[in-house]
């Protein structure tokens, strides 16, 4: 039986922690940063846990 391939788009966007949670970067941190407050940009820099409704889909794409 052939191996399952990891979805290459998903592996660039998500990472799995040691406890099995899926982390991702927040949106709105790529461009047009000049007019956004520093406080908002700092908050957007941190990774967050993926919502539970999307967790099953992303785990399948990552081959977990």
């Amino acid at each position: 039986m052939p191996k399952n391939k990891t979805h290459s788009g998903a592996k660039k966007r998500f990472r799995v922690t040691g406890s099995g949670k899926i982390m991702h970067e927040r949106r709105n941190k790529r461009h047009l940063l000049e007019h956004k407050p520093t406080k908002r940009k700092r908050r957007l820099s941190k990774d967050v846990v993926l919502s539970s409704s999307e967790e099953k889909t992303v785990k399948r794409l990552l081959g977990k």
Side-chain angles (χ1 to χ4, degrees):
M1 189 148 181
K3 293 181 178 180
N4 288 330
K5 292 199 173 181
T6 303
H7 190 283
S8 58
K11 71 182 175 189
K12 295 169 190 170
R13 289 172 172 82
F14 304 103
R15 63 183 179 83
V16 183
T17 63
S19 60
K21 294 177 187 171
I22 298 176
M23 306 294 285
H24 70 97
E25 289 185 2
R26 287 188 176 274
R27 61 184 184 182
N28 291 326
K29 189 70 196 296
R30 289 295 176 199
H31 61 116
L32 303 175
L33 297 171
E34 210 169 76
H35 77 278
K36 293 175 189 170
T38 311
K39 187 175 182 180
R40 180 177 169 197
K41 288 188 281 191
R42 225 180 4 257
R43 180 176 57 83
L44 293 172
S45 292
K46 297 175 182 170
D47 288 2
V48 288
V49 179
L50 190 71
S51 66
S52 57
S53 59
E54 297 169 335
E55 193 171 337
K56 184 180 178 183
T57 311
V58 173
K59 278 192 174 180
R60 189 169 47 82
L61 291 171
L62 294 173
K64 300 288 178 197

